[in-house]
């Protein structure tokens, strides 16, 4: 499937979902905001930041500078509770996440009632 075909399929799927939900009001929808999330191709921080900045310009917005303290660079456009977000997770944050999870599954706590 080409990128153009995939893009067309995604747009069609979103429209079909909206039509289905509109036609079936008994079907519940999430009670929290929903985000259509795009991650740029992994590259250097500078490359990923440039890609998010490019997308921000297409969205008519600017990246949120407060996200950089979390190691993210993102641009978001909201349509009520539904949003489109382009998000780059920068190298230092990815490295911190890898370190934080490096012992995952290695430490198994003893059950409280085992004693």
């Amino acid at each position: 499937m080409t990128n153009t075909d995939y893009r067309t399929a995604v747009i069609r799927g979103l429209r079909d979902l909206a039509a289905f939900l509109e036609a079936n009001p008994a079907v519940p929808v999430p009670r929290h905001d929903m985000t259509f999330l795009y991650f740029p191709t992994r590259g250097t921080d500078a490359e990923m930041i440039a890609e998010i900045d490019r997308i921000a310009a297409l969205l008519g917005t600017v990246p949120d500078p407060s996200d950089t303290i979390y190691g993210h660079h993102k641009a978001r456009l909201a349509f009520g509770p539904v949003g489109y977000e382009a998000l780059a997770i920068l190298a230092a944050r990815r490295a911190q996440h890898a370190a934080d999870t490096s012992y995952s599954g290695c430490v198994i706590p003893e059950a409280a009632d085992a004693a």
Side-chain angles (χ1 to χ4, degrees), residues 15-30:
R15 288 184 177 137
D16 290 348
L17 174 61
F20 174 81
L21 292 173
E22 189 170 49
N24 296 279
V27 174
V29 297

Side-chain angles (χ1 to χ4, degrees), residues 14-105:
L14 288 169
R15 288 184 177 137
D16 290 348
L17 174 61
F20 174 81
L21 292 173
E22 189 170 49
N24 296 279
V27 174
V29 297
R31 292 184 175 182
H32 54 81
D33 289 355
M34 295 161 277
T35 301
F36 197 73
L37 190 56
Y38 170 81
F39 292 98
T41 301
R42 179 79 54 88
T44 66
D45 284 356
E47 291 167 339
M48 292 190 303
I49 287 169
E51 176 66 356
I52 299 304
D53 290 348
R54 183 187 74 80
I55 293 168
L58 295 170
L59 298 175
T61 188
V62 294
D64 185 347
S66 67
D67 289 316
T68 57
I69 63 172
Y70 302 107
H72 296 165
H73 191 70
K74 74 177 180 181
R76 179 174 171 79
L77 182 62
F79 302 88
V82 179
Y84 176 93
E85 185 175 301
L87 172 64
I89 301 173
L90 305 179
R93 180 65 194 115
R94 291 192 315 270
Q96 183 64 56
H97 177 74
D100 291 344
T101 60
S102 64
Y103 286 94
S104 179

